[in-house]
Amino acid sequence: MSKVFVIPDVHLKPWMFEKASQLVSEGSYDAAVILGDLVDDWNQRKNLELYNQTFDAAIKFTEAIPNTFWCYGNHEIGYLWGTVVSGYSIHAQETVVSRMRDLRNSMPRGHSEYIHKLDKVIFSHAGLTESFVMRHFGRGKTDLDTMIAKINRMGEAEIWKGDSPIWARPQSNDYSQSNSKMRLYPQDLLQVVGHTPVKTAVQEENCLTVDSFSTNWDGEPVGDQRFVWVDTVEMCWGYAEE
C-alpha cells in the first residue's frame, strides 16, 4: 500500500463522496480512508433524508472502492452509546445506528475501526495520544500493532475521554480548546486526523490535520474544502486535485 485518498469529516455532506469518487477515478490510489463524523450538522437535526443520503453516498463509495477504511468519529459513536454531543439528533438515533450497520456490512471485515495503521501512517478521527497510551498500556510493554488491536476493541468507558482517538485535539490552534498541546504516540510515525477544523490541511510535527470541510453555524466553510492523499510508505502528502 502506498497512496491513500483521505476523506475528512463529512457532517451530512453526501456530495463529498461524489467529489471523492470523481477524484479517485481520475487518479491512482491504492486505498481510501474515511476519518469519521459522517453525521450531524448545524440545524439539520430533523433532516432524516439528508442523514440517509449521506450513508447512501458512503456505501456507494465503499462498494465502488472496496479497499476503503472507516475510522469511527465521536459523532457516529455517540449514537451507538446514546451519548449526546453537539449536533446530536434524537430524531436520527435509530436511523444512524441502522445505517452505520449498513455501512459496516458494505466493507470488508476489519475495515471499520477507531484506528487503522497502514504502513508507517496511523489514521484515526482525532489521534492516538501519548497520554491515552500510557494510561492503558504503560511505557514500552506492548507493540504498536497489538496495542491498536486492543484499542479497537475498547468500549465507552475507555474511548469517551478527551485524549482518546475520537476526541483528542493535539493541534496548536484556536480549535484545540486545550491549555497544553497533546503529544501523539509514537513520534516516529505520521498520524492523519480530522475532528479539529482547519482552514487548510496542515502538518505540525507528525500530525496532519485535514478537516477543511467543516462549516460555521451559518453554513460558511471553515476551510478550503480540498481533499488530500497520503503516501503511507514515504510519510508525505499532497492535494488530490493537483
Side-chain angles (χ1 to χ4, degrees):
M1 194 170 299
S2 182
K3 195 173 182 181
V4 174
F5 188 94
V6 182
I7 300 177
D9 305 41
V10 174
H11 290 300
L12 299 179
K13 301 179 188 69
W15 59 265
M16 286 178 62
F17 288 103
E18 297 165 9
K19 180 64 174 177
S21 294
Q22 175 190 340
L23 291 172
V24 170
S25 68
E26 294 172 352
S28 178
Y29 298 96
D30 301 294
V33 174
I34 303 168
L35 292 178
D37 276 8
L38 299 174
V39 299
D40 298 344
D41 201 7
W42 304 100
N43 305 313
Q44 299 295 337
R45 287 179 174 84
K46 295 183 179 181
N47 193 349
L48 297 187
E49 181 179 357
L50 188 56
Y51 278 81
N52 277 308
Q53 287 175 354
T54 301
F55 278 104
D56 286 343
I59 291 169
K60 183 177 180 180
F61 182 87
T62 60
E63 289 178 342
I65 305 163
N67 204 24
T68 296
F69 298 83
W70 172 25
C71 304
Y72 297 130
N74 57 297
H75 279 266
E76 52 257 42
I77 287 294
Y79 285 93
L80 288 182
W81 295 336
T83 308
V84 176
V85 298
S86 61
Y88 174 90
S89 169
I90 190 171
H91 307 283
Q93 171 74 36
E94 293 183 7
T95 297
V96 173
V97 172
S98 174
R99 298 313 309 273
M100 283 182 67
R101 186 183 306 115
D102 293 341
L103 179 54
R104 284 197 303 269
N105 290 340
S106 75
M107 308 174 73
R109 185 178 178 86
H111 280 225
S112 53
E113 307 282 3
Y114 299 121
I115 303 174
H116 295 286
K117 177 177 171 288
L118 305 179
D119 300 319
K120 300 177 182 178
V121 179
I122 296 173
F123 296 87
S124 67
H125 180 61
L128 179 60
T129 65
E130 186 177 84
S131 60
F132 183 86
V133 169
M134 293 303 108
R135 184 165 66 254
H136 292 287
F137 300 98
R139 189 177 298 276
K141 297 181 179 179
T142 309
D143 71 87
L144 185 58
D145 290 332
T146 300
M147 185 184 299
I148 289 174
K150 290 183 176 181
I151 293 171
N152 284 335
R153 295 194 296 270
M154 288 181 176
E156 181 179 358
E158 299 87 4
I159 295 297
W160 206 258
K161 303 291 184 182
D163 61 350
S164 81
I166 66 170
W167 274 114
R169 295 193 190 273
Q171 301 81 4
S172 57
N173 62 33
D174 293 340
Y175 291 95
S176 67
Q177 302 173 354
S178 175
N179 293 324
S180 60
K181 186 175 178 181
M182 296 179 178
R183 285 172 56 88
L184 293 179
Y185 182 95
Q187 287 287 302
D188 60 341
L189 298 184
L190 178 66
Q191 292 205 36
V192 181
V193 303
H195 186 53
T196 296
V198 288
K199 293 180 179 179
T200 190
V202 59
Q203 182 175 350
E204 297 179 87
E205 299 177 351
N206 67 322
C207 179
L208 172 60
T209 306
V210 298
D211 178 16
S212 65
F213 285 81
S214 288
T215 61
N216 293 313
W217 66 269
D218 57 359
E220 284 296 311
V222 172
D224 57 12
Q225 299 189 333
R226 300 174 72 190
F227 290 103
V228 306
W229 55 264
V230 175
D231 188 313
T232 59
V233 175
E234 299 297 327
M235 293 193 292
C236 61
W237 62 279
Y239 289 104
E241 297 176 80
E242 295 180 349

